[in-house]
Amino acid sequence: MDTKTTGTMAARIAALKKEQDAVILAHYYVKDSAQEVADYIGDSFYLSKLAAGLDCKTLVFAGVRFMAESAKLLSPEKRVLMPEPKADCPMAHMVVKETVDNARTEYGDDLAVACYVNSTTEMKAWSDVCVTSSNAVKIVRRLPQHHVLFIPDMNLGRYVADQVPEKHVILNDGFCPTHEAIELAEIEKLKAAHPDAVVCAHPECTPWVVEAADYVGSTSGIIKRVAEGEEKSYIIATVIGVRRTIEQKIAGQGKEIFFPETTPICPNMAMVTGEKILSCLETGSGEIEVDDAATEGARRALRRMLELAKD
Ligand code: 13P
Ligand code: SF4
């Protein structure tokens, strides 16, 4: 059960952070109790940029494994702790090496492999560049190669292909089970009840939901669209964890937000709570190690992302 962070827990976490020179990063999808004690909350791209640049000895990454691994790859000198080491993203495993090898054989030097950060360290090492949902369109557009194999997410890959028609984007069949489960019928039902509402969808959603959306963007993009939009109501097609930040940002604006009736919850992100953050700081558990053969290649792909995403 996710309990609200108590004053005692927050004070204990603050003391341990000071003692260990630690900073807590949280993705919007983790439990509210984890977001409440975080120093920074954000989408995958914002958090990886922070991880690469923060000046501290320890990072506590309240998110899933690929996020903590990316932080360690970008900041190898830091100790990176995962409050819940079992929190893994199923999509991060949904591509096989053969898919990459076959594409490289077929297209040679005119192929780039673009790897969504929601992937294992090994997959990143097979790739030329990493991307996140907030920079994938920009990065794919900037690649010198004409052919781009997009792994592992077919839904984000298809969205990128539509936005960058000058490239030949080859799709793999991975997907996010949580975003795939957001039904178009539920979005349409909400739209029928609130005809003026702006539909905001994450590009991991199915093509049908993406097509029905007025705005498509990363979690941060969706939050910004709702917070800064002039419209009064919004239908949100992404994981429920964004609700906390959206509600804070729209307080007093008289806006309404609606989520699908079948609440989109990422079961892995939902394992990460404030209590587990406290416990990993107390015990030093969940430390991330990435020193295997894939480390160098994966780091290169992540650093290339940071480079190509610059304005
Ligand atoms: P963003 O953080 O890029 O919006 O991606 C969402 C997601 O599914 C992270 O696992
Ligand atoms: Fe993976 Fe989807 Fe969960 Fe993100 S929301 S961690 S893509 S399963």
Side-chain angles (χ1 to χ4, degrees):
M1 195 184 68
D2 185 44
T3 44
K4 219 176 143 48
T5 316
T6 62
T8 333
M9 196 201 297
R12 184 84 190 108
I13 289 173
L16 288 165
K17 275 196 321 180
K18 201 164 172 209
E19 213 173 282
Q20 300 176 25
D21 188 20
V23 173
I24 303 172
L25 306 181
H27 192 274
Y28 291 118
Y29 293 166
V30 296
K31 287 280 187 176
D32 284 4
S33 67
Q35 297 190 38
E36 280 163 20
V37 295
D39 296 294
Y40 299 94
I41 311 170
D43 71 356
S44 308
F45 184 48
Y46 173 72
L47 296 174
S48 39
K49 272 195 298 184
L50 275 177
L54 279 170
D55 182 19
C56 61
K57 287 204 176 71
T58 297
L59 283 175
V60 177
F61 212 118
V64 287
R65 178 160 292 272
F66 74 79
M67 297 179 169
E69 285 183 357
S70 298
K72 181 72 185 174
L73 286 162
L74 288 166
S75 233
E77 70 292 350
K78 294 190 181 93
R79 181 173 71 133
V80 177
L81 302 179
M82 257 190 100
E84 174 47 80
K86 289 197 290 297
D88 197 7
C89 167
M91 180 167 67
H93 304 271
M94 291 186 190
V95 65
V96 291
K97 176 80 164 33
E98 206 187 347
T99 303
V100 175
D101 291 345
N102 289 346
R104 291 212 188 271
T105 305
E106 187 168 354
Y107 297 103
D109 291 346
D110 203 16
L111 177 98
V113 179
C115 183
Y116 194 20
V117 286
N118 301 35
S119 50
T120 62
T121 297
E122 198 185 8
M123 284 170 198
K124 290 181 176 75
W126 304 336
S127 310
D128 298 291
V129 65
C130 287
V131 298
T132 75
S133 64
S134 64
N135 60 33
V137 168
K138 185 197 249 182
I139 289 179
V140 167
R141 197 172 274 142
R142 288 180 172 181
L143 290 171
Q145 293 88 349
H146 175 64
H147 306 282
V148 180
L149 171 66
F150 195 97
I151 58 172
D153 187 13
M154 65 177 164
N155 290 320
L156 178 60
R158 193 179 294 106
Y159 175 70
V160 170
D162 286 347
Q163 302 300 307
V164 194
E166 67 274 23
K167 297 279 183 188
H168 171 221
V169 179
I170 305 148
L171 301 177
N172 168 70
D173 56 7
F175 61 94
C176 162
T178 305
H179 284 91
E180 275 266 323
I182 297 176
E183 294 281 349
L184 176 61
E186 291 196 11
I187 302 295
E188 285 174 341
K189 197 171 155 196
L190 283 168
K191 188 74 186 166
H194 311 281
D196 295 332
V198 181
V199 179
C200 299
H202 196 281
E204 287 174 19
C205 292
T206 62
W208 309 282
V209 170
V210 166
E211 186 143 322
D214 303 294
Y215 173 83
V216 180
S218 75
T219 43
S220 297
I222 292 173
I223 291 166
K224 191 167 185 292
R225 178 67 184 83
V226 178
E228 295 177 5
E230 310 223 309
E231 303 86 347
K232 288 289 175 212
S233 51
Y234 299 83
I235 295 164
I236 315 283
T238 193
V239 177
I240 192 79
V242 298
R243 176 154 51 197
R244 177 177 177 275
T245 305
I246 294 179
E247 281 177 350
Q248 285 173 350
K249 288 192 185 276
I250 64 174
Q253 291 185 20
K255 288 178 179 168
E256 287 181 299
I257 54 170
F258 305 97
F259 283 85
E261 202 176 332
T262 312
T263 308
I265 296 174
C266 169
N268 283 282
M269 292 280 197
M271 287 198 259
V272 187
T273 62
E275 277 173 32
K276 290 180 185 172
I277 291 177
L278 173 59
S279 154
C280 83
L281 278 166
E282 278 173 340
T283 61
S285 60
E287 184 166 355
I288 295 293
E289 295 296 344
V290 286
D291 58 343
D292 58 26
T295 306
E296 268 319 304
R299 183 174 296 133
R300 186 187 18 79
L302 279 166
R303 287 196 175 144
R304 187 148 184 239
M305 168 183 81
L306 297 181
E307 217 27 63
L308 281 175
K310 281 183 186 155
D311 285 332

